[in-house]
Amino acid sequence: MSTTIDGLEDIVATHSRICDLDGKLGKLTYVGVDIHDLAQHSSFEETAYLLWNSVLPTQTQLDEVKEQLCASRALPPRLIDLMWLLPTTSTPMDVLRTCVSALSTFDADSHNTSHAANYQRAVHLTAVIPTIVAAWDNIRNGREPIAPLPDGDHATNLLYMLSGKMPDAYTSHGLDLALILHADHELNASTFAARVTAGTLADVYAAITSAIGALSGSLHGGANEQVIRMLLRIGDVSNAESYIHDALERKERIMGFGHRVYRTEDPRATHLRAMSEELGKRTNDTRWYEMSRIIEKYVKEHKGLNANVDFYSASVYYMMGFPIDLDTTIFACSRVAGWTAHVLEQYAHNRLIRPRAEYIGPKVTEYVPIEKRG
Ligand code: COA
């Protein structure tokens, strides 16, 4: 058997035409399009189309996919009934995972596993995840869910369903940018989980349910929530350096730092840092940005680690007014586009994903009858 690598670091596990990541150069592309170009010129809808179809859409194709997304936003009423039954203390990621899993039972066309049917499921799941997230925030607070907008973009619709008010253009645009930056990232843990599940020929819902479970952990998407909790604990700019000093002395992991692949600045963090600064100015509260800068400098100097995508998205989402524990679900509202693109690719070129484990347990163990075991 070949050498065992814990955590599969640098192991190339599949071919893919979706996302390329150069950790030494800090370069990220979706189907060859530079993430900085997408950040400057694209929209979440256009980016999703690119991931699903491996080509930038024409205006007509973009209009079509936007229409399809808008038309797929509503939740089955019985799923909403089910959500009312869940304990209000459930975490938003647990509820999201449960509802995506339950959605499979409402798919009247479930026997149809053609590419066209799975593509429609990709569109549907992308459209409906923000509706689940917002519906849960309302339901857990004893309010009726707000129906999704019949038109308007993914970001605006999410903000609207959470507050019942149309967001300002800056916030909508800022969230749209954050969604573009989070939409895909090669074979990250949640995408790998989705591909492993799809590789057994389980359905799209099963694959995305696996992905949501993997994203929820604090070493992956769950890090953004932990970052804002840390900033709130620090509370004031003057405490930031001593807090991080002490945390590193205690050998704690600082959430939002480090990456398995990047050895340079995470190109997504570049945009989110700028957005955090701008939002601080706009909200007349630069505390979170200033604290973040101090922490970033300290961790870089003392551990050589760079901020990753989750570090600045935390303060960005906080200043946009999102409840803290929705942070990881906002990540899912975007990454679902990448997950589903990878699931479609897996089905198209499928081979069961089944690696080996190097056995390090005892070679021979005598079977002792239960009454004779000490
Ligand atoms: N804070 C403090 N130390 C960190 C660290 C962090 N955020 N990330 C890595 N390190 C240290 C480890 O303690 C380890 O040090 P050691 O060799 O002295 O034990 C070394 O860096 C390598 O860490 P390792 O866990 O082997 O790297 P990895 O590639 O397996 O982990 C992450 C990658 C992302 C899981 C890791 O950097 C991390 O836990 N980051 C915080 C969580 C996070 O932000 N996740 C979102 C990722 S986008």
Side-chain angles (χ1 to χ4, degrees):
M1 221 182 288
S2 54
T3 325
T4 306
I5 312 275
D6 284 335
L8 301 181
E9 182 167 356
D10 287 336
I11 297 291
V12 179
T14 192
H15 295 97
S16 178
R17 295 176 182 278
I18 299 170
C19 179
D20 191 25
L21 177 49
D22 187 325
K24 288 198 187 99
L25 296 178
K27 192 169 164 65
L28 170 62
T29 57
Y30 296 166
V31 199
V33 186
D34 197 295
I35 193 70
H36 298 307
D37 288 333
L38 290 168
Q40 207 183 337
H41 305 294
S42 191
S43 62
F44 173 74
E45 286 78 359
E46 183 180 66
T47 300
Y49 186 99
L50 172 67
L51 295 170
W52 292 329
N53 295 283
S54 306
V55 64
L56 285 164
T58 62
Q59 187 62 54
T60 311
Q61 289 166 331
L62 180 58
D63 293 344
E64 264 170 26
V65 81
K66 282 183 179 174
E67 252 176 58
Q68 289 169 355
L69 283 162
C70 291
S72 305
R73 285 176 175 165
L75 290 177
R78 285 170 69 181
L79 185 65
I80 297 177
D81 293 346
L82 187 146
M83 292 172 86
W84 280 107
L85 298 176
L86 299 173
T88 52
T89 50
S90 307
T91 72
M93 282 299 276
D94 287 351
V95 172
L96 181 60
R97 194 190 59 237
T98 303
C99 290
V100 167
S101 176
L103 271 177
S104 68
T105 64
F106 294 92
D107 187 336
D109 200 26
S110 59
H111 63 281
N112 184 350
T113 56
S114 65
H115 175 79
N118 282 332
Y119 186 95
Q120 281 314 311
R121 291 183 185 108
V123 171
H124 178 226
L125 281 165
T126 302
V128 91
I129 281 183
T131 318
I132 296 171
V133 170
W136 177 244
D137 192 52
N138 283 310
I139 287 172
R140 69 176 171 170
N141 287 301
R143 301 187 296 257
E144 284 296 328
I146 296 167
L149 291 170
D151 46 30
D153 60 68
H154 202 65
T156 303
N157 179 49
L158 172 60
L159 290 159
Y160 167 77
M161 288 186 296
L162 280 166
S163 66
K165 292 188 220 111
M166 286 303 280
D168 63 83
Y170 181 82
T171 309
S172 278
H173 177 72
L175 181 59
D176 185 56
L177 170 53
L179 297 175
I180 293 170
L181 298 172
H182 284 82
D184 196 48
H185 212 230
E186 199 220 41
L187 218 52
N188 61 89
S190 55
T191 302
F192 190 54
R195 289 193 78 130
V196 169
T197 303
T200 70
L201 298 184
D203 69 21
V204 182
Y205 303 95
I208 303 309
T209 303
S210 297
I212 294 169
L215 185 73
S216 66
S218 62
L219 295 187
H220 190 9
N224 58 8
E225 180 181 336
Q226 297 312 318
V227 172
I228 193 62
R229 292 197 186 282
M230 173 181 76
L231 295 181
L232 289 166
R233 273 196 303 277
I234 294 172
D236 192 82
V237 179
S238 60
N239 300 331
E241 190 166 317
S242 59
Y243 180 97
I244 293 300
H245 168 87
D246 294 350
L248 288 176
E249 285 285 295
R250 292 192 298 270
K251 304 262 178 255
E252 283 175 20
R253 272 183 190 234
I254 313 299
M255 293 294 127
F257 286 90
H259 199 273
R260 179 56 71 74
V261 184
Y262 290 121
R263 293 295 165 256
T264 57
E265 162 114 342
D266 180 332
R268 304 165 298 174
T270 315
H271 295 276
L272 291 160
R273 183 192 295 112
M275 214 192 301
S276 174
E277 182 175 18
E278 177 64 21
L279 273 163
K281 286 183 193 150
R282 282 176 180 259
T283 54
N284 264 334
D285 186 1
T286 54
R287 244 180 323 165
W288 315 109
Y289 171 72
E290 286 175 47
M291 265 184 228
S292 301
R293 287 297 280 163
I294 291 170
I295 297 167
E296 189 181 22
K297 194 163 170 280
Y298 194 91
V299 175
K300 179 75 184 168
E301 274 173 21
H302 293 82
K303 292 290 288 184
L305 295 170
N306 294 299
N308 60 45
V309 69
D310 292 307
F311 188 60
Y312 281 102
S313 66
S315 52
V316 162
Y317 296 156
Y318 187 68
M319 287 186 274
M320 283 180 175
F322 286 105
I324 294 165
D325 64 354
L326 291 194
D327 279 7
T328 312
T329 61
I330 301 166
F331 194 150
C333 288
S334 162
R335 183 58 59 84
V336 60
W339 289 332
T340 48
H342 280 269
V343 168
L344 293 174
E345 188 177 57
Q346 185 66 39
Y347 289 145
H349 306 279
N350 190 49
R351 189 154 187 239
L352 179 77
I353 300 171
R354 202 296 188 197
R356 295 296 311 275
E358 184 184 349
Y359 179 69
I360 55 168
K363 277 288 179 208
V364 181
T365 304
E366 187 193 349
Y367 184 83
V368 181
I370 195 162
E371 59 281 6
K372 295 202 176 146
R373 289 177 210 160

